[in-house]
Amino acid sequence: MPVVNVALPVPLARTFDYLLPEGMRPATGARVSVPFGQRQAIGIVTQISENSELPLNKLKPVNDLLDRESLFSPGLWRILNWAAEYYHYPLGEVLFHALPVLLRQGKNAELTPLWQWYATEQGRATPPESLKRAPKQQQALATLLQGPVYRHQVNELALTETALQTLRSKGLTDLRSQAPVTHDWRKDFAVLGERMRLNTEQATAVGAIRSEDRQFSSWLLAGVTGSGKTEVYLSVLENILAAGKQALIMVPEIGLTPQTIARFRERFNAPVEVLHSGLNDSERLSVWLRARNGEAAIVIGTRSALFTPFARLGVIIIDEEHDSSYKQQEGWRYHARDLAVFRAREEDIPIVMGSATPALETLHNVQLGKYRQLTLGKRAGNAKPAVQHLLDLKGLPLKVGLSQPLLKRMKEHLDADNQVMLFLNRRGYAPALLCHECGWIAECQRCDHYYTLHQNHRQLRCHHCDSQRPVPHQCPHCGSTNLVSVGVGTEQLENELAPLFPNTAITRIDRDTTSRKGSLEQHLAEVHRGGARILIGTQMLAKGHHFPDVTLVSLLDVDGALFSADFRSAERFAQLFTQVSGRAGRAGKKGEVILQTHHPEHPLLQILLHQGYDAFAKQTLAERKSVFLPPFTSHILIRAEDHDNQQAAEFLLQLRNLLESSPLKEDALWILGPVPALQAKRSGRFRWQLLLQHPSRRLLQHLIKTSQPLIGNLALSKKVKWTIDVDPIDS
């Protein structure tokens, strides 16, 4: 009997051998049901052979074949196998990570009938006005009288399942299943709406990308904020879609770009699908299947959308390519941008990476000739660069972190009927709660980190492990009731600004106010209608939004970013500063940016203010080269966690000794540690790390690959949780 190698979603870097029953010949990449220990498991076929390292009489047979063909295209299969090796992560877990949850659970990889709400004969005879005492039911019936609504569209149309079910109990609506209809969008493809006229820089960029859009080419579209990068994407897509090919658009966080999604849907008469965390498992599978069948013309999604299968993929576009959310921080720690470039090469298609503040790794790849840079240096339309000021806070009285000069400028901009944006990258009411009598500070015992006070909910929350507790009425240490908050968060800023600007509408946009489905879209719509004059937000406001009436932007607290133990913090701050500054003066209005700081002389602020991000990037790359830091060297970080703060450090010390004794060890290899992580305790576990650095990525990879089988033999490897992070971005 032939033998099949099966990858299972278990943390073991190996596949498992099973016997194939007579007549069963699965394709590589198809799912099978197999016995695994005392349970049945779903695995993915990686190879069929005639023999096994184990005696055949010891092998169990495959129970069932779930797919007639591979779930992965040949290109995607090669990418995932390469990625498992590069990131030193079990192949089974990598392959299953790339599949929708329902496929991991064994559901058929076929479109299933969709449920549809419709108005019954009685419902069609009922005027919606008769339900005016139940406005949600009235709205639902009025919508259904215009035509049936698929169940997955209920939320999009602002309807509620409860209202529809109530109407059903009255006999006015009902549900029916509709067989999925395959639609070929290519026959009806058209460009809709009015194209913006491209300026010379935009037209040059579009022409360059179009000239090589039938083969692999990697482009960095470096455009200042407001320079019209999205219009370049849309123009490039016209050619791709007209040729009947599909497009993958990757964005850092799906909730941050409803405006961008709307522009794609308005421009093309073609199906645009969106993949994000708000979809349920059935909706995610449906998008995955429609893309694989060629029914989706454009898929817009976050990091994991990279693994969507396409029938005819023609281009990959990565917006805000510098964003750190493209790096997976748990489990399989891949970088979606880097894998996207690899996928584009495997599929022989172009990839466009856009950013106003390109990652230093990306700029280094331009210098090496791996990517080609296209520059958009002018803001689109009549928009002029914003005027930037440093406001020295030394000696100035502050009201919730706001100085008098800033409050005065806010009033002037608001009086001119413009909008003001205040940026504070600290949500909650205050970052700490302390006892004024004895100095006790509310601290998360699981993380050794201060709790953040959320006053509106009367809660203390840890922003690292998400633990919560009620605000105490008195100090647990001395019994005093004199508990005071320290520092300012967005919630406090919103509360305290209301009496200072009593007739001005204020909107706060952070993770706390946008957690409910559709809430971000409502906030943004309010801003665009002009209903909100003061916008308060965290870094959610820094990315991708176009607010034409915002003329004043202020960063309230930049000093924390100027002094950090992380060598990447300067790059992150420069990107954030540039992105936030770009929100001001985007529609012909004069924009102004004010940075409040106690250190106006800081060289990082001076170079950003007077020379811009490009000069900062050039100088920082030169500094990193001189001290042998990425991208001029490669890093692999090995992390270990324990509950007693001893075994993790001991395990990493054993691992260091193992690496030091390797025949591949050479003088250029630098090993740092074991040392505590920057956040040394999280969720009750103590965290240690070992950093490996070498100028050659290939040698570093070879060292880990040859050492990995030996790591499992170390005495403590089974007693601690340890991970390998290739190309880490957080230390």
Side-chain angles (χ1 to χ4, degrees):
M1 293 176 76
V3 173
V4 63
N5 304 130
V6 176
L8 293 168
V10 292
L12 297 170
R14 50 165 292 196
T15 57
F16 299 84
D17 290 354
Y18 290 90
L19 292 175
L20 270 180
E22 194 172 338
M24 186 185 288
R25 297 295 288 183
T28 299
R31 291 170 302 158
V32 287
S33 172
V34 295
F36 187 68
Q38 300 299 311
R39 62 187 175 93
Q40 298 299 310
I42 293 170
I44 295 171
V45 174
T46 60
Q47 189 180 351
I48 297 175
S49 58
E50 295 300 322
N51 47 47
S52 168
E53 293 179 0
L54 296 171
L56 293 185
N57 62 356
K58 297 282 188 185
L59 300 184
K60 297 177 182 177
V62 171
N63 288 335
D64 195 13
L65 176 60
L66 303 183
D67 303 301
R68 292 191 298 272
E69 56 190 38
S70 174
L71 295 179
F72 308 91
S73 65
L76 197 50
W77 182 255
R78 289 193 300 273
I79 292 159
L80 293 169
N81 277 268
W82 177 87
E85 195 168 311
Y86 180 79
Y87 290 103
H88 305 283
Y89 207 70
L91 177 60
E93 301 218 309
V94 168
L95 294 175
F96 274 79
H97 182 99
L99 293 177
V101 169
L102 292 180
L103 292 185
R104 299 178 209 170
Q105 295 171 353
K107 188 175 175 65
N108 287 340
E110 296 172 0
L111 285 169
T112 54
L114 297 172
W115 288 93
Q116 191 181 59
W117 282 103
Y118 69 98
T120 62
E121 193 172 331
Q122 182 184 342
R124 289 195 297 275
T126 303
E129 299 77 46
S130 64
L131 297 166
K132 61 184 178 184
R133 290 190 176 181
K136 290 187 177 178
Q137 294 176 40
Q138 182 182 7
Q139 179 194 359
L141 182 60
T143 303
L144 293 185
L145 289 175
Q146 296 171 18
V149 171
Y150 285 110
R151 207 164 190 175
H152 66 269
Q153 296 175 314
V154 167
N155 287 327
E156 289 177 32
L157 298 171
L159 305 178
T160 68
E161 193 78 19
T162 306
L164 289 163
Q165 291 287 4
T166 305
L167 290 173
R168 188 185 193 188
S169 68
K170 296 176 180 177
L172 305 181
T173 66
D174 207 349
L175 277 169
R176 64 188 174 204
S177 65
Q178 286 285 106
V181 179
T182 304
H183 173 65
D184 190 347
W185 55 270
R186 293 174 292 179
K187 304 192 299 288
D188 307 315
F189 173 72
V191 179
L192 308 173
E194 196 175 326
R195 294 184 183 90
M196 288 175 63
R197 186 171 178 181
L198 300 179
N199 61 32
T200 305
E201 288 180 334
Q202 289 172 316
T204 302
V206 171
I209 298 167
R210 281 184 172 178
S211 69
E212 297 189 28
D213 66 3
R214 304 291 169 122
Q215 63 194 43
F216 171 64
S217 51
S218 46
W219 303 94
L220 167 63
L221 183 63
V224 298
T225 312
S227 59
K229 291 185 289 295
T230 304
E231 196 59 35
V232 172
Y233 301 155
L234 291 165
S235 299
V236 167
L237 284 183
E238 285 185 22
N239 261 26
I240 300 291
L241 298 176
K245 294 184 178 178
Q246 299 163 281
L248 170 62
I249 317 294
M250 294 179 63
V251 292
E253 297 175 56
I254 205 74
L256 306 183
T257 51
Q259 294 165 292
T260 304
I261 294 164
R263 285 183 68 181
F264 282 92
R265 284 182 167 152
E266 288 162 7
R267 177 65 67 90
F268 302 117
N269 180 35
V272 178
E273 300 286 355
V274 182
L275 274 172
H276 57 85
S277 56
L279 299 182
N280 63 37
D281 292 341
S282 297
E283 291 165 337
R284 280 178 169 274
L285 177 58
S286 181
V287 172
W288 189 93
L289 290 168
R290 287 199 290 274
R292 187 177 74 152
N293 295 344
E295 293 178 67
I298 300 171
V299 172
I300 303 176
T302 47
R303 184 175 58 228
S304 61
L306 173 64
F307 308 115
T308 306
F310 289 88
R312 302 173 301 277
L313 186 58
V315 70
I316 299 174
I317 294 173
I318 305 184
D319 196 30
E320 309 289 3
E321 63 82 30
H322 67 276
D323 199 282
S324 60
S325 64
Y326 285 122
K327 171 78 171 176
Q328 170 80 18
Q329 295 290 9
E330 297 293 333
W332 173 31
R333 296 168 185 262
Y334 66 92
H335 201 303
R337 179 197 61 217
D338 300 344
L339 272 186
V341 174
F342 189 79
R343 179 169 188 178
R345 191 177 74 188
E346 286 295 305
E347 308 257 11
D348 199 24
I349 58 172
I351 181 168
V352 181
M353 295 166 277
S355 177
T357 54
L360 297 187
E361 283 83 2
T362 303
L363 291 171
H364 182 57
N365 280 326
V366 170
Q367 293 174 357
L368 294 176
K370 293 181 179 179
Y371 305 162
R372 281 175 287 176
Q373 181 169 333
L374 301 164
T375 304
L376 306 179
K378 298 176 184 172
R379 301 184 93 181
N382 302 317
K384 301 287 189 292
V387 179
Q388 298 176 341
H389 311 285
L390 285 175
L391 184 55
D392 190 349
L393 291 179
K394 289 194 289 288
L396 293 180
L398 298 178
K399 178 76 171 174
V400 285
L402 302 167
S403 62
Q404 275 306 124
L406 175 57
L407 287 167
K408 182 183 175 188
R409 291 299 294 145
M410 287 174 62
K411 187 174 186 309
E412 290 170 3
H413 281 264
L414 293 169
D415 288 345
D417 201 28
N418 291 316
Q419 291 173 315
V420 170
M421 180 187 292
L422 302 177
F423 178 83
L424 180 62
N425 207 16
R426 193 186 299 128
R427 61 192 174 94
Y429 186 86
L433 179 73
L434 66 76
C435 173
H436 195 54
E437 300 295 330
C438 72
W440 168 86
I441 303 178
E443 191 173 14
C444 174
Q445 298 304 308
R446 302 176 71 225
C447 297
D448 286 348
H449 204 279
Y450 299 146
Y451 274 117
T452 298
L453 172 64
H454 287 255
Q455 185 84 332
N456 293 355
H457 292 91
R458 298 294 302 161
Q459 278 185 336
L460 296 173
R461 296 179 187 170
C462 176
H463 288 180
H464 297 274
C465 70
D466 292 327
S467 65
Q468 302 176 4
R469 55 178 283 195
V471 176
H473 296 293
Q474 61 188 71
C475 173
H477 190 258
C478 73
S480 169
T481 56
N482 194 0
L483 301 178
V484 294
S485 61
V486 181
V488 179
T490 52
E491 185 185 304
Q492 183 179 170
L493 190 58
E494 179 186 30
N495 292 355
E496 297 295 330
L497 273 177
L500 294 176
F501 297 92
N503 300 315
T504 305
I506 300 173
T507 287
R508 171 163 61 99
I509 297 180
D510 57 25
R511 200 190 305 172
D512 298 322
T513 62
T514 59
S515 57
R516 290 178 57 189
K517 195 168 185 177
S519 55
L520 175 63
E521 288 78 358
Q522 290 173 5
H523 281 297
L524 294 177
E526 182 71 12
V527 173
H528 284 282
R529 283 196 301 269
R533 309 313 299 167
I534 299 177
L535 286 65
I536 299 169
T538 56
Q539 63 186 18
M540 290 182 77
L541 276 179
K543 308 170 187 176
H545 298 300
H546 176 69
F547 301 121
D549 290 331
V550 169
T551 53
L552 173 64
V553 170
S554 179
L555 288 85
L556 302 187
D557 181 17
V558 302
D559 293 346
L562 302 179
F563 306 98
S564 171
D566 184 356
F567 75 90
R568 296 183 191 273
S569 65
E571 178 185 2
R572 291 196 190 103
F573 172 73
Q575 291 165 341
L576 191 59
F577 165 78
T578 308
Q579 296 278 341
V580 173
S581 301
R583 302 303 121 204
R586 287 173 68 100
K589 295 186 177 184
K590 188 177 179 183
E592 182 178 8
V593 179
I594 297 177
L595 282 91
Q596 294 193 144
T597 176
H598 288 91
H599 305 278
E601 71 291 340
H602 194 285
L604 173 57
L605 295 178
Q606 289 296 324
I607 193 171
L608 284 171
L609 211 65
H610 299 297
Q611 299 177 59
Y613 183 81
D614 289 348
F616 158 80
K618 188 175 180 181
Q619 177 179 309
T620 306
L621 278 170
E623 288 172 357
R624 290 207 189 163
K625 185 175 184 179
S626 68
V627 293
F628 307 106
L629 283 173
F632 300 95
T633 55
S634 289
H635 279 178
I636 290 181
L637 195 63
I638 303 174
R639 295 182 173 91
E641 301 178 0
D642 64 25
H643 288 290
D644 62 7
N645 207 20
Q646 289 185 350
Q647 295 183 101
E650 290 173 17
F651 163 73
L652 290 178
L653 190 58
Q654 292 175 2
L655 176 53
R656 175 174 184 147
N657 293 335
L658 176 70
L659 296 172
E660 296 270 15
S661 63
S662 169
L664 295 173
K665 166 85 166 62
E666 55 176 62
D667 292 342
L669 176 67
W670 188 58
I671 305 179
L672 173 66
V675 296
L678 281 179
Q679 190 187 340
K681 187 180 180 186
R682 184 169 182 172
S683 299
R685 301 179 75 94
F686 296 92
R687 307 161 82 223
W688 289 75
Q689 60 191 37
L690 189 71
L691 179 68
L692 312 182
Q693 175 179 295
H694 197 279
S696 167
R697 176 177 278 113
R698 182 167 298 187
L699 185 139
L700 204 53
Q701 283 282 341
H702 192 38
L703 173 65
I704 291 295
K705 185 177 180 180
T706 54
S707 303
Q708 197 170 1
L710 303 174
I711 298 175
N713 296 329
L714 294 176
L716 291 170
S717 66
K718 304 287 191 296
K719 296 182 179 179
V720 300
K721 179 183 178 184
W722 60 276
T723 57
I724 297 174
D725 190 355
V726 178
D727 305 328
I729 63 169
D730 283 332
S731 52

